[in-house]
Amino acid sequence: MDRLAAHVRADLEKIEYPPRAWVPPRIGPDGVPALDVLVVGAGLSGLSIAFGLMRRRVSNILVIDRSPAGKEGPWVTHARMDVLRSPKTLSGPDFGIPNLTYRSWHEARYGSLSWDRLDKIDRRDWMAYLVWYRDLLALPVRNETSLEGIASQDDWLALTLASPEGARTIYARKLVLATGIDGAGAPYAPEEIAALPRSVWSHNADSIDGPGLAGRRIAILGAGASAFDCAVHALQHGAAQVALYARRTTLPHVEVLAWSNFPGFLTSFADLPDRLRWNFMRRMRDLQPPPTQTMFDRAALDPRFELKLGHRLDSARMEGDEIVLVANGAPRRFDRILVATGFRTDLSLRPELAGVRDEICLWRDRFVPPPGEDDEELGRHPYLGAGFQLQSKNPAAAELLGNIHLFNAGAVPSVGPVCNGVTGLKYGTPRVVDAITRDLFLEDADMHYDKLLAFDDRMFDGSADRINGLRRETPAADDGDRAEARTIADRLIADTRRQSAEFPVDLANHLPMVIEALFRLGASPDRMAAYAAHYDKFHAVPALRPAKKSIERDNWRGALGDRTREADYRRFFVDEARRLGGSAAIRLYVPELSRGVGASALHGLMRLAYGALRGDEAEIGAALGYWATTFLPLPEPSGAAASTDDPLETLDHMRADPAFARVEINSPMLWHWIDGVGHMPAFGAMIDRLAVGPGTLDRIAQASLSLYAGSMSFEALHAVTGSHWLRLVAPHMDDPTPLIRHFWQAILSIYPKIGMPAAPDEAQLEEWRRLVPPPAAAIAAAAVASDDEHDHSLVFSAFQEFDRTGDPLYRIVAARRVGLIA
C-alpha cells in the first residue's frame, strides 16, 4: 500500500495538485475565519466533492459526518448485501487518476489475480478503500458532528453544528448536502406498520440485530434489492421462517441504471427541458431495480423462505408479543417485520432544513404535468439549478438558497442519477464542483481585479548589475548538480519538521532556514547533508513533543505563548496553510500574530520568511505554529503623535533617555531582552516616536545596516536579517504596517544589550562603501564552509538586499562577517 500511495502522490504532483490558492480568506460575523464550503456527509459523495474542491484549490472546506470514523455511509452499518451491486469496473471518486481507483487499491492489497477473479466488490473492502482514500488525500473530515440548522446572517450561511463537545454556530459561504439516499426525506414505512411498537419492526436503513432474528418468524415488505438483502440476512442468522410480501405480481427484472450509464445522458440530463426530465424520471421510477440474482437465488433455495407476490397489506396489529399481519384478507402471525419499502422524499422530514424549507421551490411549484402524468412523489422533489443549487419560491431568499447545493437522492429529477451512487458519480461531482468554483470566483471578481492591478511580482532581472555580476564572479552551475542539490535540500528541510523549533534551552532551531540559505549560496548536496548532521548532533535538537489537544479555528488564540503546545499549533497551522494556501494563511493570521513578533527572538518571522521564499505550505504552517507557540506580546502603541520617520532618530532618543542607561536583564537571550526592555515604563514613549508608512521598511533596513556596519554585533545582525525577512513576508499581507512597527519595537528593545552605540555618520559609511569586497562567489564559499548558522543567514540576507538595492555596504558587512575583510 505504501508503494501505491507513492504512485498516487506522484500522479497528483504531475497534475499540479494542489495548484496555488486563489480564494481570498474571509472573517465571519463572529470574528473567526469562515469556511468557503461546508460539506455535510463524509461518505462516497462527500469525500469525492471534497477532493474535487481541493483539486480546484477551494481548500478552505470542512466535511462533517454524524457517524464515527470508518462507519460513514451504509457499507459497514446497515447495508446487508455482501457486495456492491455496481460492476467492479465502474470508476468512483478517483477523478480519472488511475492509481486512485478501487481497482488499484484492490490489486495493491490482494494482487492482480484476485482482481481478475473478482465478480463484485465486497462492501467491507469498499469501506476500507474509502478510508484509505480519505487518509491519503488528507481530506478535512470531522466525525460525530451533525448539521442541526441553517440560517442567514450578514450574507453568510449560519450553520448550527452538534458534536459531543456541544452545539456551536459556524459561518460558511457554501453548503453541500451530500447526505445520501434519505437526505431529502426519510425512510418510508406503511402507516399500518409505523403504528406498531418500534421494537417489533425495523426499516432496512436501520441497524438490525442479526442474532436477534434467530428462531423468529420474519415478515419482509418490499420487492426490490433491499428486500431480498433483508431476507438473506434473516436466513443467515437462523430465522425460523421468512415470508416476503410484495404488492407486485411479478418481480422487477430491468436494471435501469444499466441503460442510463452513458455520458450523453449523465452529463446533459440537467440541461433538458422540464417536460423531458419529468418524462424520463417517471419512466425510470416505473423501472424499479430488481434484486441481484445472487441474493434472489440464495433466498429461493432456502425452504424457510416464502415469496408472496400480489399481496396487498390490509392491516397489522399486536396480540400479546405477536404481530398479526393481514394481507389480501389472510392473517398471519410473526415475531418481527423488516420493512424494505424505500424512502419518502419530503423536505419537512429534514430537521436541519426547518429554517429554510418553506422557501425551497419544489417540482410541483415549477412544473405542471400534462393530464394523466401526475406523480405526487416526484412533485415533492426540490427543483434545483444545474449546479445542484436550491431554488427559491421567494426572490428575497434566492441568494441564501443559491448557496446550498443538494447532492443527494432528492436531486435526481433535476440533474439525473449522478448523485445517488457509484454509477453516475464521476459526472455529478465535477458539475457541483464547477458550480461552486464559479460562484466563488464571480463573487470575488472585483477583489481579484484589484489584485491584478497591484500585481508586480518580479520574475526577471535584466539589470546591468546582474549582467556584470554574472560575467565577473559566478561560473554557470550545472543544472543537474543544482537539481540534485534542490532535492536534497527539500528532503532535509522536510526532515526538520519532525523536530522541535527550539533546542535547550529555548534556543531557535535554524536548520530549516539555513539549509535553504546554503542551497541558494551554492552548497553541494554533501555539504548540506553534512551540515544538517553536524547541527543535529552539536545542538542535540529534540524531536517534536507529542500533541496534547487539538487546536481549532475558533480557539487558536487560547494557548498563544505556551511552548508545551508546539505540536498542536504546528498541526493546526500546517493544516490551515494547506487549506487556504500559504500566502492566504499569512494574510489571515500574521496580523494577529504581529504583536508577538519578538517570539523566540524573531525566529518565528525568520522561518515564515523562508517558507514564503520557498512557496512551501508545510514550512509556512510550521513557522506560524512556531510563532504562535513562542508568542511574545509587545505593548501596543499608545496613539501619541509620531515625531520622526527616521528609525535612527528613535535610537538617538533612546540613547539620550537615562532610563535606559543601566538596563540590567539577567539573561544573554535576545527574547528575554525584548520582553524585559519592551515592558519598561519608559519604553512606551519610544514606541510612538516612529511614523510608519510606505517607505518605513526601506528606512529600517538602512538603519539596521548602518547599526550593524558600525557595531558588527550579534544583536544588530538580527536587525539586518530581520529587515530582509520582513521584506519577504510583507507582500503576502494586506497591510504590513503593524508588523513593521512591532518589528522595530523588538529591535529597539535589544538596543541596550549592545550598549546603545551611535550609528556611523554618512562619511564613515561612504568610506566603507568604497572598499573593494571579495567576489560574491568567495563570500558565498566562505559562508558555506562555516558551521555558524548566523554566517549563512547574514550572508544570504545581505546578498538578497544587495540585489534589491545595489548598496555595496551589504557585501562589505557580509565579507566582514565571514572573515574576508578585517
Side-chain angles (χ1 to χ4, degrees):
M1 299 307 294
D2 289 344
R3 179 177 297 178
L4 177 61
H7 288 323
V8 172
R9 293 188 184 100
D11 288 341
L12 295 176
E13 183 179 353
K14 290 173 184 175
I15 62 171
E16 196 189 5
Y17 172 80
R20 68 182 178 91
W22 61 273
V23 183
R26 296 194 178 203
I27 301 296
D30 56 353
V32 172
L35 291 171
D36 289 323
V37 187
L38 176 70
V39 180
V40 182
L44 170 64
S45 295
L47 295 180
S48 181
I49 291 168
F51 178 47
L53 291 169
M54 297 284 278
R55 283 192 67 180
R56 297 296 184 87
R57 208 45 159 124
V58 180
S59 50
N60 177 21
I61 67 174
L62 177 66
V63 186
I64 63 171
D65 198 288
R66 65 173 63 248
S67 302
K71 294 189 176 180
E72 304 88 351
W75 313 111
V76 294
T77 53
H78 59 264
R80 278 164 204 97
M81 71 287 196
D82 290 331
V83 296
L84 274 61
R85 300 183 185 114
S86 307
K88 70 176 184 179
T89 52
L90 281 182
S91 58
D94 52 80
F95 276 83
I97 300 170
N99 283 309
L100 204 54
T101 60
Y102 174 83
R103 176 175 179 172
S104 293
W105 180 89
H106 187 100
E107 290 181 341
R109 186 164 186 174
Y110 299 116
S112 57
L113 183 59
S114 171
W115 173 260
D116 293 340
R117 292 173 176 172
L118 185 69
D119 178 29
K120 296 288 181 66
I121 298 171
D122 186 283
R123 61 181 173 85
R124 290 158 289 264
D125 281 338
W126 182 251
M127 184 74 248
Y129 161 68
L130 292 178
V131 170
W132 171 82
Y133 175 96
R134 162 184 166 172
D135 291 345
L136 178 65
L137 298 174
L139 300 179
V141 179
R142 185 175 298 164
N143 287 93
E144 300 182 63
T145 303
S146 60
L147 174 66
E148 300 297 315
I150 303 169
S152 176
Q153 182 177 340
D154 300 335
D155 298 326
W156 291 92
L157 290 168
L159 307 171
T160 302
L161 307 186
S163 69
E165 288 75 38
R168 65 189 183 105
T169 298
I170 66 168
Y171 296 90
R173 298 173 68 181
K174 288 283 187 178
L175 172 65
V176 180
L177 299 173
T179 43
I181 196 169
D182 64 344
Y188 170 71
E191 60 183 20
E192 296 87 353
I193 303 302
L196 296 174
R198 200 61 174 84
S199 59
V200 301
W201 69 274
S202 300
H203 194 277
N204 68 281
D206 300 328
S207 289
I208 299 174
D209 176 24
L213 303 177
R216 313 300 292 276
R217 296 164 295 174
I218 308 298
I220 295 175
L221 304 184
S226 294
F228 279 85
D229 292 343
C230 287
V232 171
H233 181 74
L235 293 168
Q236 286 178 326
H237 285 90
Q241 302 171 19
V242 176
L244 189 150
Y245 289 84
R247 290 178 298 175
R248 290 174 171 268
T249 56
T250 60
L251 291 173
H253 62 280
V254 172
E255 177 52 82
V256 68
L257 292 180
W259 175 86
S260 66
N261 187 24
F262 63 96
F265 182 79
L266 295 174
T267 58
S268 305
F269 180 88
D271 303 315
L272 291 172
D274 291 353
R275 174 64 187 275
L276 271 176
R277 287 191 285 177
W278 185 268
N279 290 345
F280 270 114
M281 281 298 109
R282 288 187 70 240
R283 177 56 178 159
M284 294 178 76
R285 280 169 46 76
D286 288 341
L287 299 174
Q288 292 296 314
T292 63
Q293 195 66 57
T294 298
M295 299 302 266
F296 174 83
D297 291 349
R298 289 170 66 178
L301 281 169
D302 196 306
R304 294 170 292 164
F305 175 74
E306 297 177 65
L307 179 58
K308 304 181 80 63
L309 298 176
H311 280 66
R312 180 173 295 275
L313 177 64
D314 296 323
S315 65
R317 66 181 186 274
M318 297 298 300
E319 289 188 2
D321 293 334
E322 295 181 318
I323 308 164
V324 179
L325 187 147
V326 181
N328 287 2
R332 183 166 173 181
R333 295 177 180 275
F334 292 97
D335 301 305
R336 187 79 177 272
I337 298 177
L338 304 184
V339 180
T341 48
F343 298 82
R344 177 184 176 87
T345 299
D346 185 345
L347 298 185
S348 69
L349 301 175
R350 302 302 308 183
E352 69 273 19
L353 296 177
V356 296
R357 65 177 171 233
D358 291 341
E359 307 296 337
I360 296 174
C361 183
L362 308 180
W363 266 85
R364 69 189 181 204
D365 301 318
R366 188 64 67 92
F367 178 73
V368 178
E373 296 183 13
D374 291 341
D375 188 318
E376 182 183 353
E377 174 73 12
L378 200 54
R380 286 197 301 268
H381 282 70
Y383 185 94
L384 304 182
F388 295 81
Q389 308 96 323
L390 291 175
Q391 305 292 295
S392 176
K393 292 186 287 188
N394 175 10
E399 184 174 353
L400 169 67
L401 294 182
N403 287 322
I404 302 174
H405 300 256
L406 195 78
F407 197 91
N408 58 38
V412 173
S414 297
V415 295
V418 294
C419 50
N420 58 334
V422 181
T423 305
L425 185 72
K426 64 184 176 184
Y427 301 99
T429 304
R431 181 178 281 272
V432 71
V433 168
D434 286 348
I436 291 170
T437 304
R438 172 186 177 276
D439 289 351
L440 292 174
F441 172 74
L442 293 180
E443 188 175 333
D444 294 335
D446 288 342
M447 197 180 306
H448 289 298
Y449 179 66
D450 290 342
K451 289 183 177 180
L452 175 60
L453 292 177
F455 182 71
D456 191 26
D457 287 6
R458 181 176 176 181
M459 299 180 180
F460 171 76
D461 182 0
S463 67
D465 283 343
R466 181 171 178 83
I467 294 171
N468 292 335
L470 290 170
R471 290 176 177 174
R472 182 174 67 249
E473 298 167 356
T474 309
D478 180 82
D479 289 343
D481 289 345
R482 297 318 295 157
E484 180 188 1
R486 176 76 276 172
T487 299
I488 294 299
D490 290 346
R491 177 178 61 78
L492 292 171
I493 291 169
D495 287 346
T496 67
R497 290 194 290 276
R498 294 195 290 264
Q499 299 175 330
S500 172
E502 293 184 322
F503 53 84
V505 176
D506 297 339
L507 294 169
N509 177 2
H510 290 69
L511 187 56
M513 298 81 85
V514 166
I515 292 296
E516 184 66 23
L518 284 170
F519 166 75
R520 290 173 182 262
L521 289 170
S524 69
D526 288 345
R527 171 56 183 155
M528 288 187 290
Y531 181 80
H534 158 79
Y535 194 93
D536 285 345
K537 182 177 180 181
F538 184 78
H539 293 296
V541 180
L544 186 66
R545 285 180 287 190
K548 293 177 66 175
K549 185 179 181 181
S550 176
I551 288 174
E552 305 293 343
R553 287 192 290 276
D554 56 358
N555 68 3
W556 73 272
R557 303 171 184 84
L560 290 175
D562 183 350
R563 281 176 160 81
T564 70
R565 303 295 299 279
E566 181 182 8
D568 302 327
Y569 269 120
R570 183 177 296 183
R571 178 179 298 174
F572 169 73
F573 279 112
V574 168
D575 287 347
E576 286 292 272
R578 287 172 173 158
R579 180 176 70 89
L580 297 167
S583 182
I586 293 171
R587 186 162 59 250
L588 183 61
Y589 287 106
V590 169
E592 293 199 56
L593 291 171
S594 293
R595 187 183 172 203
V597 70
S600 196
L602 304 171
H603 289 93
L605 172 64
M606 180 188 188
R607 190 161 187 174
L608 183 63
Y610 276 82
L613 178 67
R614 286 171 48 81
D616 186 333
E617 290 174 356
E619 273 301 294
I620 288 171
L624 291 171
Y626 178 23
W627 193 332
T629 301
T630 58
F631 187 78
L632 188 67
L634 294 169
E636 291 286 5
S638 67
S643 61
T644 180
D645 65 358
D646 184 354
L648 287 176
E649 287 191 22
T650 65
L651 298 180
D652 294 339
H653 282 293
M654 194 168 184
R655 193 169 59 255
D657 190 328
F660 301 102
R662 298 178 61 86
V663 175
E664 293 185 9
I665 304 293
N666 190 27
S667 172
M669 297 180 70
L670 294 186
W671 70 267
H672 288 175
W673 280 78
I674 293 172
D675 189 35
V677 175
H679 285 88
M680 290 176 61
F683 191 73
M686 299 296 115
I687 300 173
D688 297 311
R689 288 192 179 279
L690 183 65
V692 180
T696 303
L697 180 53
D698 288 339
R699 289 190 288 272
I700 285 176
Q702 278 301 304
S704 299
L705 178 60
S706 299
L707 186 62
Y708 183 60
S711 67
M712 294 303 292
S713 70
F714 176 75
E715 294 79 9
L717 178 150
H718 285 78
V720 174
T721 54
S723 301
H724 172 227
W725 306 334
L726 268 183
R727 200 177 302 285
L728 293 174
V729 171
H732 300 275
M733 302 179 66
D734 294 327
D735 178 14
T737 300
L739 178 61
I740 294 170
R741 181 186 299 280
H742 286 302
F743 170 79
W744 190 243
Q745 279 182 254
I747 298 303
L748 280 175
S749 64
I750 60 175
Y751 185 43
K753 188 175 186 296
I754 57 175
M756 296 190 294
D761 59 27
E762 280 301 317
Q764 178 62 73
L765 294 174
E766 285 305 313
E767 181 180 339
W768 286 332
R769 287 187 173 103
R770 288 193 292 271
L771 296 175
V772 179
I779 300 172
V784 167
S786 172
D787 284 339
D788 186 337
E789 60 263 43
H790 296 96
D791 290 352
H792 314 132
S793 174
L794 185 280
V795 169
F796 177 63
S797 289
F799 277 18
Q800 291 271 292
E801 290 295 281
F802 172 79
D803 288 343
R804 185 186 64 83
T805 65
D807 188 340
L809 190 55
Y810 278 109
R811 286 201 174 173
I812 298 300
V813 297
R816 280 183 178 172
R817 174 68 201 187
V818 294
L820 297 182
I821 294 180

